[in-house]
Amino acid sequence: APHNPQARSPRVFGDYELLCNVGSGGMGTVWKARQLSLNRMVALKMMLAANFARPDYVERFHREAQAAARLQHPNIVAIHEVGEHDGMPFYSMDHVDGKNLAQLIQGTPLPSTRAARYVHMLAQATQHAHEHGILHRDLKPSNVIVDELDQPRIADFGLARSLDDQLDLTLGGQVVGTPSFSSPEQLEGGHGHPGPAIDVYGLGAILYFLLTARPPFVGAAIESTLALVLHEEPVAPRLFNPSVPRDLETICLKCLEKDPARRFPSAQALADELGRFLRNEPILARPVSPPERAWRWCRRQPGRAGLLADRKSTRL
C-alpha cells in the first residue's frame, strides 16, 4: 500500500520529516519538510494518493519534476531531488519563505514600478526556461512566490512541457491552465505546436493583475470567463487604476493580444521592453488605435457588427 505520511508521528517520509502542509492542488500536496541527511528546510511535493491509479497523472507528475529540475535560475524555485518512497512519487525543492503574488495583492494594486520590476525578472526567468526547451503554461499570481529579498520566483511546473513535444494543448480533453490567466489558444483546446507566446500571455496577465488587483478576464462562471478570453478585449488597466503609466499599459496589453503573432515574440523581448520602461527610455511598442480596435472587434464578432450596421442604416 502507498505510504501515508499522516499515519506516523513524527511524520517521516523517507529522508524527510514532514512539518506542515502548505498547500495542495489537482496533482499533489506540498509540505514544508526537513531533509534529515542534510538538515535543511525544503518544500516536498507528493502526488495525491487518489491519482496513483492514473498513469497519465503519474507521467505528468514526473514530467513536472524533470522539467523543473533542468532549470537553474535565481527567479525559479530549484528542484533538489526527484524520486519515489513506498510507491509514492515525490520531489523536493527550495522552501521559499514569503507570499505568492495573489496573497500579496489582497485587492490593492502594486505601485507600477514594482509591478514592472517583478514581471521584468519573471520574463527573464521564463526566457531561461524557454532556452532550455520548457514552457510553463500556467503562469499566474499563485505560482509566483516573493521571497524575503523581494525577489519573485516561479514555482509549479505542473503543466510544463517540452517545446519539442508535438502533443496538443489539452490533457485528456480538458482545458490546460487557469482560465482567467490562460491564452485564447489554450482555452480553444486547439491541436498544434504551442510556443513561447503562451507564456508571454501569462506574464502579461500577471502584470495586469499586479496593476489592477484583478485578472484580465473574470466572468460569473467558467463559461462566461472562457467567452471573455476568447472574444473580448481586456479593459484597459488605466480605467481601473489611473496611476498606471501609459507605456506600461501598452506593454501589458501587447502581451494580451488574441493573436499570438501580435504579442512580444519572446519572453526576452518583453523583458527588454520592461527594461526600457524601468530606465525611463522610450518603449518600442505602440498602443492599438481606436479604429484598429474597432476593426478587430468586427472581425471577431461579425454577427453583432452586422446587426449594429443594420440598425444604423435603418435610422438614416
Side-chain angles (χ1 to χ4, degrees), residues 54-128:
R54 294 281 304 272
D56 56 332
Y57 275 40
V58 175
E59 179 185 355
R60 180 175 153 199
F61 187 90
H62 281 298
R63 185 168 69 239
E64 169 182 359
Q66 292 162 358
R70 291 161 58 180
L71 306 175
Q72 299 294 323
H73 189 278
N75 297 108
I76 295 176
V77 176
I79 296 292
H80 299 307
E81 180 184 11
V82 181
E84 286 190 12
H85 178 68
D86 286 355
M88 180 181 288
F90 76 90
Y91 63 88
S92 66
M93 53 191 156
D94 283 346
H95 176 260
V96 182
D97 280 319
K99 296 180 178 180
N100 66 45
L101 290 177
Q103 295 166 332
L104 194 67
I105 293 300
Q106 292 292 312
T108 304
L110 289 184
S112 294
T113 299
R114 185 178 177 191
R117 183 174 65 83
Y118 281 168
V119 179
H120 178 247
M121 289 187 280
L122 295 175
Q124 291 175 311
T126 302
Q127 178 66 25
H128 173 81

Side-chain angles (χ1 to χ4, degrees), residues 46-315:
M46 296 179 285
M47 172 167 280
L48 292 172
N51 294 329
F52 283 1
R54 294 281 304 272
D56 56 332
Y57 275 40
V58 175
E59 179 185 355
R60 180 175 153 199
F61 187 90
H62 281 298
R63 185 168 69 239
E64 169 182 359
Q66 292 162 358
R70 291 161 58 180
L71 306 175
Q72 299 294 323
H73 189 278
N75 297 108
I76 295 176
V77 176
I79 296 292
H80 299 307
E81 180 184 11
V82 181
E84 286 190 12
H85 178 68
D86 286 355
M88 180 181 288
F90 76 90
Y91 63 88
S92 66
M93 53 191 156
D94 283 346
H95 176 260
V96 182
D97 280 319
K99 296 180 178 180
N100 66 45
L101 290 177
Q103 295 166 332
L104 194 67
I105 293 300
Q106 292 292 312
T108 304
L110 289 184
S112 294
T113 299
R114 185 178 177 191
R117 183 174 65 83
Y118 281 168
V119 179
H120 178 247
M121 289 187 280
L122 295 175
Q124 291 175 311
T126 302
Q127 178 66 25
H128 173 81
H130 292 172
E131 288 173 356
H132 286 76
I134 300 297
L135 291 173
H136 190 287
R137 296 204 299 167
D138 196 23
L139 289 169
K140 58 185 179 181
S142 61
N143 279 343
V144 177
I145 305 169
V146 180
D147 65 22
E148 64 275 10
L149 299 177
D150 200 31
Q151 302 292 303
R153 299 177 67 180
I154 300 173
D156 201 346
F157 277 72
L159 296 177
R161 62 174 291 171
S162 169
L163 279 163
D164 298 325
D165 192 343
Q166 296 291 328
L167 297 176
D168 62 58
L169 294 176
T170 64
L171 182 68
Q174 296 180 337
V175 169
V176 167
T178 304
S180 288
F181 293 94
S182 294
S183 65
E185 61 267 32
Q186 286 174 279
L187 300 186
E188 287 173 333
H191 294 253
H193 193 197
I198 285 176
D199 285 346
V200 170
Y201 185 100
L203 291 165
I206 290 174
L207 180 57
Y208 190 102
F209 180 80
L210 298 181
L211 295 174
T212 67
R214 53 178 289 145
F217 300 100
V218 57
I222 188 170
E223 294 81 8
S224 55
T225 299
L226 294 176
L228 290 171
V229 175
L230 291 173
H231 304 300
E232 301 295 337
E233 295 292 336
V235 175
R238 285 168 55 85
L239 294 179
F240 291 118
N241 181 2
S243 71
V244 174
R246 290 189 184 277
D247 280 357
L248 192 56
E249 177 179 84
T250 297
I251 293 170
C252 181
L253 293 177
K254 185 173 178 64
C255 293
L256 297 176
E257 288 276 8
K258 303 293 186 198
D259 180 357
R262 292 182 179 272
R263 298 174 204 153
F264 291 99
S266 66
Q268 187 59 55
L270 169 57
D272 291 344
E273 190 79 311
L274 287 167
R276 283 185 279 272
F277 169 80
L278 289 167
R279 294 190 300 270
N280 293 312
E281 297 174 1
I283 65 168
L284 303 182
R286 290 292 173 262
V288 177
S289 66
E292 169 76 3
R293 187 176 295 110
W295 179 79
R296 292 186 194 180
W297 183 86
C298 291
R299 286 194 63 187
R300 287 198 310 276
Q301 308 279 357
R304 291 167 65 184
L307 186 61
L308 287 174
D310 290 343
R311 287 177 180 174
K312 190 172 182 179
S313 64
T314 58
R315 292 196 202 105

Side-chain angles (χ1 to χ4, degrees), residues 24-42:
S24 62
M27 285 297 298
T29 182
V30 181
W31 292 77
K32 180 179 180 180
R34 177 181 291 106
Q35 187 172 6
L36 300 173
S37 61
L38 297 176
N39 191 29
R40 67 176 173 185
M41 302 303 297
V42 299

